[in-house]
Amino acid sequence: MKPKVVILGSGFAGFGAFYSFVKKINDKVDISVVDPSVFSLSKPILPEVAFGERALNEALIPIGKYIEKYNHTFIRKEVKFINPETNQVILEDDSSLSYDYLIISLGAVKDYNAIEGFKEYGYSICDYSQALRFLDRRASSIGNNVVIGACLTQWGSASMVKTLAAPCEGPIGEIMFMLDYYLRKHNRRDKTNITVFTPGEIFFEDVGERVHKNMEPVIKKSNINVVTKKILKRIDKEYVEFEDSSRLECDMAIIIPPYRGQKFLIDSNISDEAGFIPTDKHMRHTTYKNIFAAGDINATSMPKLGHIAVKQSHTAASVIISEITQKEEIIPFEPEILCIMNRGEEATLILSNWMYGGNIDLTFNGKIPKFIKMGFDAFYFYSHGKMPPKWSEDYLTKLLVKCLNK
C-alpha cells in the first residue's frame, strides 16, 4: 500500500510540498490536499489588485483541478481537529482522514478583530476581501493623512529563533511606495501625507545596515515619514492611537494585523499557546515525527514570507521522500529574505541573509526588478502554483551577489 500524505493548505508551502512529491515520487504516494477554498490565493499580487493594476482573478489558482491532474485528491473542507496519536485529521463534518505523513501549511490567521476600530475605520491588503475594500475606498477618497503600519504580534513559546515585532513589513513597503506613485500619477501627492509606523526598533528589522542605507534615500525621495517603536492601540475616524498614548492624524489607516495560529492546532495539542507549530531544522514536529509544518504556521518561520515558506516546504517534502525512497537527499533549510516591492514604474528587490548570520545584504532598484516580479507572478499563475526552476533562482542570486556585493 502506498504511503498516505495529507497536506493541509494550498498556499506557497502547500503547493511547494505537493509539486515536490509530484516531481520525485508521484506514483509512489497517495496525496490528499485539504483546503476550505476552491482557490489558492497568490498574495504577492494583492497590492496590485488593491491599486487596480491587476484583476483579482489573476491572483486565484483553482486547487482541485491541478491536484487531480496528477491523480491525487482534493478535499474542500475545514479541519476541525488533529489526533496525532491515531494519525487522523478530523474534518468539519466529523469525517476523518488517516495519514502516514502530515504536512501542515495552513498559513497564519490575520487577526483583524484584535484591532480596536479596524472594522469601522481600518483597511488592509492581506486577503482578497480586504484588497477589494481598499480598491473601493481608493476610488473615492483617500484623504489628507494616510497612516500605514504593522501591528505587534505576540509570538508563542515555540519561537526559538530570533523573533520580529511585525510578522513581515515587505507589504508595508510595497503599499507605501505604490500609494506614493499612485498619488503622484494623479497629481494628488502634495495634498496627502504618508506616515509609516513600525512596532520594532527600526523599520525593516529583518535586514541589515546595508539594505537600510540603500533604502533611506528611496524612502526620503518618496517623502514618506517613518516612526518607530509604535504599538497600535486603536483606530478612530480621525486618528490612530498607540500604546504610548501618542496619536497620528489619520483619514485612512492601512494595517497589517497581528498574526496567530489556528485554534484547532492548540486544541489538538500540537502547537504552542499562540497556535504556531514547533519543529526541528527539517520542519519535523518536535514530538510527532510524522508531522511537518511549513510556512507561516511554523514557529521557526521568521519573517512570515513566501520565499521562506517555499524553502521550508521543499525541506519537509525532501525528508519524507528520503524516508520513502531510502535514497533521495534531504534539502537543507537555508533561510534568506528574497522579496520584490512594486514601486509603480519600478521595483526594489531585497536579498539578505543578514538576519540568519550571513553576509549577503543587497538591494536592487529599477525597472529590471519590476520585470522580474512580473515574470515570477506570471510563471506562478500559468504553471498553477509551481515555482520557477531552481537553477533560475540560483543564477539570479549569484548574479545579484556578483553585481551588487561590491
Short mmCIF file of all heavy atoms in Angstrom, two decimals, residues 231-262:
data_model
loop_
_atom_site.label_atom_id
_atom_site.label_comp_id
_atom_site.label_asym_id
_atom_site.label_seq_id
_atom_site.Cartn_x
_atom_site.Cartn_y
_atom_site.Cartn_z
N ILE A 231 3.29 50.90 18.92
CA ILE A 231 2.40 49.75 19.01
C ILE A 231 0.96 50.23 18.91
O ILE A 231 0.48 50.98 19.76
CB ILE A 231 2.62 48.98 20.33
CG1 ILE A 231 4.07 48.49 20.40
CG2 ILE A 231 1.64 47.81 20.45
CD1 ILE A 231 4.43 47.86 21.73
N LEU A 232 0.28 49.82 17.86
CA LEU A 232 -1.07 50.31 17.59
C LEU A 232 -2.03 49.87 18.69
O LEU A 232 -2.08 48.71 19.08
CB LEU A 232 -1.56 49.78 16.24
CG LEU A 232 -2.94 50.27 15.79
CD1 LEU A 232 -2.93 51.77 15.53
CD2 LEU A 232 -3.38 49.53 14.53
N LYS A 233 -2.81 50.83 19.18
CA LYS A 233 -3.83 50.55 20.21
C LYS A 233 -5.23 50.54 19.60
O LYS A 233 -6.00 49.62 19.84
CB LYS A 233 -3.75 51.60 21.32
CG LYS A 233 -4.74 51.37 22.45
CD LYS A 233 -4.58 52.44 23.53
CE LYS A 233 -5.57 52.23 24.67
NZ LYS A 233 -5.41 53.27 25.72
N ARG A 234 -5.53 51.58 18.82
CA ARG A 234 -6.86 51.62 18.20
C ARG A 234 -6.87 52.56 17.01
O ARG A 234 -6.00 53.43 16.86
CB ARG A 234 -7.93 52.02 19.21
CG ARG A 234 -7.86 53.44 19.71
CD ARG A 234 -8.88 53.63 20.83
NE ARG A 234 -8.83 54.95 21.40
CZ ARG A 234 -9.76 55.89 21.22
NH1 ARG A 234 -10.82 55.63 20.45
NH2 ARG A 234 -9.66 57.07 21.78
N ILE A 235 -7.88 52.38 16.17
CA ILE A 235 -8.09 53.23 15.01
C ILE A 235 -9.39 53.99 15.22
O ILE A 235 -10.43 53.40 15.54
CB ILE A 235 -8.19 52.40 13.72
CG1 ILE A 235 -6.96 51.51 13.54
CG2 ILE A 235 -8.36 53.31 12.51
CD1 ILE A 235 -7.09 50.52 12.40
N ASP A 236 -9.34 55.30 15.06
CA ASP A 236 -10.53 56.14 15.16
C ASP A 236 -10.81 56.75 13.79
O ASP A 236 -10.02 56.60 12.85
CB ASP A 236 -10.32 57.23 16.21
CG ASP A 236 -11.63 57.85 16.66
OD1 ASP A 236 -12.29 57.27 17.56
OD2 ASP A 236 -12.02 58.89 16.10
N LYS A 237 -11.90 57.45 13.69
CA LYS A 237 -12.28 58.07 12.41
C LYS A 237 -11.26 59.10 11.96
O LYS A 237 -11.01 59.25 10.76
CB LYS A 237 -13.66 58.71 12.53
CG LYS A 237 -14.19 59.29 11.22
CD LYS A 237 -15.59 59.85 11.40
CE LYS A 237 -16.11 60.41 10.08
NZ LYS A 237 -17.49 60.96 10.22
N GLU A 238 -10.63 59.81 12.91
CA GLU A 238 -9.75 60.92 12.56
C GLU A 238 -8.30 60.72 13.00
O GLU A 238 -7.46 61.57 12.73
CB GLU A 238 -10.29 62.22 13.16
CG GLU A 238 -11.67 62.59 12.62
CD GLU A 238 -12.21 63.86 13.26
OE1 GLU A 238 -11.65 64.28 14.30
OE2 GLU A 238 -13.19 64.42 12.73
N TYR A 239 -8.00 59.61 13.67
CA TYR A 239 -6.62 59.39 14.14
C TYR A 239 -6.40 57.91 14.46
O TYR A 239 -7.35 57.13 14.57
CB TYR A 239 -6.33 60.24 15.38
CG TYR A 239 -7.23 59.92 16.57
CD1 TYR A 239 -6.93 58.87 17.45
CD2 TYR A 239 -8.39 60.66 16.80
CE1 TYR A 239 -7.76 58.59 18.52
CE2 TYR A 239 -9.22 60.39 17.87
CZ TYR A 239 -8.90 59.35 18.73
OH TYR A 239 -9.72 59.06 19.79
N VAL A 240 -5.12 57.57 14.57
CA VAL A 240 -4.75 56.28 15.15
C VAL A 240 -4.03 56.57 16.46
O VAL A 240 -3.30 57.57 16.58
CB VAL A 240 -3.84 55.44 14.22
CG1 VAL A 240 -4.58 55.04 12.97
CG2 VAL A 240 -2.56 56.16 13.87
N GLU A 241 -4.25 55.71 17.44
CA GLU A 241 -3.65 55.90 18.76
C GLU A 241 -2.75 54.71 19.09
O GLU A 241 -3.07 53.57 18.77
CB GLU A 241 -4.73 56.04 19.83
CG GLU A 241 -4.18 56.32 21.22
CD GLU A 241 -5.26 56.57 22.25
OE1 GLU A 241 -6.45 56.58 21.86
OE2 GLU A 241 -4.93 56.73 23.43
N PHE A 242 -1.62 55.01 19.73
CA PHE A 242 -0.65 53.99 20.08
C PHE A 242 -0.63 53.74 21.58
O PHE A 242 -1.20 54.51 22.37
CB PHE A 242 0.73 54.39 19.56
CG PHE A 242 0.77 54.59 18.08
CD1 PHE A 242 0.73 55.88 17.53
CD2 PHE A 242 0.81 53.51 17.21
CE1 PHE A 242 0.76 56.07 16.15
CE2 PHE A 242 0.84 53.69 15.84
CZ PHE A 242 0.80 54.97 15.31
N GLU A 243 0.02 52.66 21.97
CA GLU A 243 0.06 52.27 23.38
C GLU A 243 0.73 53.32 24.26
O GLU A 243 0.49 53.39 25.46
CB GLU A 243 0.77 50.93 23.54
CG GLU A 243 0.02 49.73 22.96
CD GLU A 243 -1.23 49.37 23.76
OE1 GLU A 243 -1.41 49.91 24.87
OE2 GLU A 243 -2.03 48.56 23.27
N ASP A 244 1.61 54.14 23.69
CA ASP A 244 2.27 55.20 24.47
C ASP A 244 1.44 56.47 24.55
O ASP A 244 1.93 57.52 24.97
CB ASP A 244 3.66 55.50 23.91
CG ASP A 244 3.60 56.03 22.47
OD1 ASP A 244 2.49 56.24 21.94
OD2 ASP A 244 4.67 56.23 21.87
N SER A 245 0.16 56.37 24.12
CA SER A 245 -0.83 57.46 24.15
C SER A 245 -0.61 58.51 23.06
O SER A 245 -1.37 59.48 22.98
CB SER A 245 -0.86 58.15 25.53
OG SER A 245 -1.24 57.23 26.53
N SER A 246 0.40 58.36 22.23
CA SER A 246 0.59 59.30 21.12
C SER A 246 -0.43 59.00 20.03
O SER A 246 -0.96 57.89 19.94
CB SER A 246 2.01 59.21 20.56
OG SER A 246 2.25 57.92 20.02
N ARG A 247 -0.68 60.01 19.20
CA ARG A 247 -1.65 59.87 18.12
C ARG A 247 -1.10 60.44 16.82
O ARG A 247 -0.23 61.32 16.82
CB ARG A 247 -2.95 60.61 18.46
CG ARG A 247 -3.74 60.01 19.62
CD ARG A 247 -5.00 60.83 19.88
NE ARG A 247 -5.83 60.24 20.93
CZ ARG A 247 -6.99 60.74 21.35
NH1 ARG A 247 -7.46 61.86 20.78
NH2 ARG A 247 -7.68 60.14 22.30
N LEU A 248 -1.60 59.91 15.72
CA LEU A 248 -1.33 60.46 14.40
C LEU A 248 -2.66 60.77 13.72
O LEU A 248 -3.58 59.94 13.74
CB LEU A 248 -0.55 59.47 13.54
CG LEU A 248 0.91 59.21 13.89
CD1 LEU A 248 1.46 58.06 13.04
CD2 LEU A 248 1.75 60.46 13.67
N GLU A 249 -2.78 61.98 13.17
CA GLU A 249 -3.97 62.28 12.39
C GLU A 249 -4.09 61.29 11.24
O GLU A 249 -3.09 60.96 10.60
CB GLU A 249 -3.90 63.71 11.84
CG GLU A 249 -4.01 64.79 12.89
CD GLU A 249 -4.04 66.18 12.27
OE1 GLU A 249 -4.31 66.27 11.04
OE2 GLU A 249 -3.80 67.15 13.00
N CYS A 250 -5.29 60.83 10.99
CA CYS A 250 -5.44 59.75 10.02
C CYS A 250 -6.82 59.78 9.37
O CYS A 250 -7.83 59.69 10.05
CB CYS A 250 -5.20 58.41 10.70
SG CYS A 250 -5.36 57.00 9.61
N ASP A 251 -6.83 59.90 8.05
CA ASP A 251 -8.08 59.77 7.28
C ASP A 251 -8.24 58.35 6.76
O ASP A 251 -9.36 57.91 6.48
CB ASP A 251 -8.07 60.75 6.10
CG ASP A 251 -7.99 62.20 6.57
OD1 ASP A 251 -8.84 62.60 7.38
OD2 ASP A 251 -7.07 62.91 6.13
N MET A 252 -7.11 57.63 6.61
CA MET A 252 -7.16 56.25 6.13
C MET A 252 -6.01 55.48 6.76
O MET A 252 -4.84 55.87 6.62
CB MET A 252 -7.07 56.21 4.61
CG MET A 252 -7.22 54.81 4.02
SD MET A 252 -7.17 54.84 2.21
CE MET A 252 -7.65 53.14 1.84
N ALA A 253 -6.33 54.41 7.46
CA ALA A 253 -5.32 53.56 8.10
C ALA A 253 -5.24 52.24 7.35
O ALA A 253 -6.25 51.54 7.17
CB ALA A 253 -5.68 53.30 9.55
N ILE A 254 -4.02 51.90 6.90
CA ILE A 254 -3.78 50.65 6.17
C ILE A 254 -2.87 49.79 7.03
O ILE A 254 -1.72 50.16 7.28
CB ILE A 254 -3.14 50.92 4.80
CG1 ILE A 254 -3.96 51.97 4.02
CG2 ILE A 254 -3.04 49.63 3.99
CD1 ILE A 254 -3.27 52.51 2.80
N ILE A 255 -3.38 48.65 7.48
CA ILE A 255 -2.74 47.94 8.59
C ILE A 255 -2.47 46.47 8.24
O ILE A 255 -3.30 45.79 7.62
CB ILE A 255 -3.65 47.98 9.85
CG1 ILE A 255 -4.01 49.42 10.20
CG2 ILE A 255 -3.00 47.27 11.01
CD1 ILE A 255 -2.83 50.31 10.55
N ILE A 256 -1.29 45.99 8.65
CA ILE A 256 -1.02 44.56 8.71
C ILE A 256 -1.39 44.11 10.11
O ILE A 256 -0.79 44.57 11.08
CB ILE A 256 0.46 44.23 8.43
CG1 ILE A 256 0.90 44.77 7.07
CG2 ILE A 256 0.70 42.73 8.53
CD1 ILE A 256 0.24 44.12 5.89
N PRO A 257 -2.38 43.24 10.27
CA PRO A 257 -2.85 42.88 11.62
C PRO A 257 -1.88 41.94 12.31
O PRO A 257 -0.96 41.40 11.69
CB PRO A 257 -4.18 42.16 11.33
CG PRO A 257 -3.96 41.55 9.98
CD PRO A 257 -3.12 42.54 9.21
N PRO A 258 -2.06 41.72 13.61
CA PRO A 258 -1.25 40.70 14.29
C PRO A 258 -1.58 39.32 13.76
O PRO A 258 -2.71 39.06 13.31
CB PRO A 258 -1.64 40.85 15.76
CG PRO A 258 -2.98 41.52 15.75
CD PRO A 258 -3.00 42.38 14.53
N TYR A 259 -0.61 38.41 13.81
CA TYR A 259 -0.80 37.04 13.37
C TYR A 259 -1.00 36.12 14.57
O TYR A 259 -0.48 36.36 15.65
CB TYR A 259 0.45 36.54 12.61
CG TYR A 259 0.59 37.02 11.19
CD1 TYR A 259 -0.03 38.17 10.73
CD2 TYR A 259 1.40 36.31 10.29
CE1 TYR A 259 0.13 38.61 9.42
CE2 TYR A 259 1.56 36.74 8.97
CZ TYR A 259 0.93 37.89 8.55
OH TYR A 259 1.09 38.31 7.26
N ARG A 260 -1.75 35.05 14.34
CA ARG A 260 -1.88 33.98 15.33
C ARG A 260 -2.12 32.67 14.57
O ARG A 260 -2.42 32.66 13.38
CB ARG A 260 -3.02 34.24 16.31
CG ARG A 260 -4.40 34.36 15.67
CD ARG A 260 -5.50 34.52 16.71
NE ARG A 260 -6.79 34.78 16.11
CZ ARG A 260 -7.60 33.86 15.61
NH1 ARG A 260 -7.24 32.57 15.62
NH2 ARG A 260 -8.77 34.18 15.09
N GLY A 261 -1.97 31.57 15.27
CA GLY A 261 -2.22 30.27 14.67
C GLY A 261 -3.68 29.87 14.74
O GLY A 261 -4.51 30.55 15.36
N GLN A 262 -3.99 28.75 14.12
CA GLN A 262 -5.36 28.23 14.14
C GLN A 262 -5.68 27.65 15.52
O GLN A 262 -4.88 26.94 16.12
CB GLN A 262 -5.50 27.12 13.09
CG GLN A 262 -5.14 27.54 11.68
CD GLN A 262 -6.33 28.07 10.91
OE1 GLN A 262 -7.41 28.19 11.45
NE2 GLN A 262 -6.12 28.38 9.65
#
